[in-house]
Amino acid sequence: RRLITLELDSGLKYFIVLRVDSEKSVFGVDPEELDMVVDRGQRVPAVLATLRCVLYDNAGLKLPGIFREQGDEGEIQIAKTSINRGTFSSFTFDDFRCVASLIKLWFRELPTPILNGIPIEALKALETESHCVSAYTTMLEDPQRQLMSWLLDILVDVCSLES
């Protein structure tokens, strides 16, 4: 709470009590400001590890279009609020595409995109998959490199389950 005093030229004073509440957020935050855990050999924010576990434990990777199709927007917003409040563990999903959508949303809302550590000229010059892997492993610094590795591991798992 803050008390603001507004004094007019006429000498009248107005006192305004201002109360501002803000939720702690894990979306749109520098990853280094979040609680980190080791998940699949990579140091990542705990929220990503939790979302990955929910996805894997419920066979979410087997859903067609798991990362391509968007989950229910209402359910995503409810889950995001639950995550920010720290009550996510009690949240249940009707559609696990929402979990994948939350992972995508987390990456999309980063204050600095992961690949910003690689100069655009270098990205344009990449010709093969091996060049891409080399670029991210040599040009990105932690935590971006570990986030990228973590995400690529999930995508490899998704691809391995495709028919």
Side-chain angles (χ1 to χ4, degrees):
R1 290 184 182 208
R2 300 203 74 134
L3 179 65
I4 298 173
T5 305
L6 180 63
E7 188 171 348
L8 301 177
D9 291 337
S10 64
L12 288 173
K13 289 185 179 180
Y14 291 93
F15 297 96
I16 302 168
V17 176
L18 183 64
R19 181 178 162 200
V20 178
D21 290 329
S22 107
E23 284 185 349
K24 178 184 173 195
S25 182
V26 296
F27 292 87
V29 177
D30 183 333
E32 293 181 320
E33 294 177 20
L34 300 173
D35 293 334
M36 303 291 270
V37 297
V38 175
D39 186 49
R40 302 186 74 178
Q42 305 299 326
R43 193 168 176 270
V44 298
V47 64
L48 289 180
T50 300
L51 290 170
R52 186 200 59 76
C53 285
V54 170
L55 198 60
Y56 279 60
D57 291 350
N58 293 282
L61 295 185
K62 293 181 180 178
L63 287 172
I66 184 66
F67 281 99
R68 186 181 65 246
E69 296 176 14
Q70 181 75 7
D72 177 73
E73 189 60 37
E75 193 173 3
I76 292 167
Q77 288 308 315
I78 291 169
K80 183 179 176 184
T81 300
S82 175
I83 290 168
N84 286 335
R85 289 184 180 160
T87 59
F88 179 74
S89 61
S90 63
F91 190 84
T92 57
F93 289 92
D94 293 327
D95 180 2
F96 288 95
R97 285 181 184 85
C98 290
V99 180
S101 294
L102 286 164
I103 293 171
K104 293 187 304 184
L105 183 65
W106 189 90
F107 279 96
R108 188 178 314 120
E109 290 186 2
L110 281 171
T112 304
I114 290 180
L115 295 179
N116 268 19
I118 302 175
I120 192 72
E121 301 80 30
L123 285 174
K124 289 179 180 178
L126 301 174
E127 296 177 0
T128 66
E129 287 119 9
S130 62
H131 288 142
C132 292
V133 171
S134 176
Y136 101 78
T137 56
T138 59
M139 294 183 193
L140 287 179
E141 297 190 17
D142 289 334
Q144 287 77 15
R145 178 179 31 240
Q146 291 195 44
L147 287 168
M148 187 71 174
S149 291
W150 181 88
L151 183 58
L152 288 174
D153 285 345
I154 292 174
L155 297 177
V156 166
D157 289 346
V158 170
C159 290
S160 71
L161 295 172
E162 283 187 353
S163 302

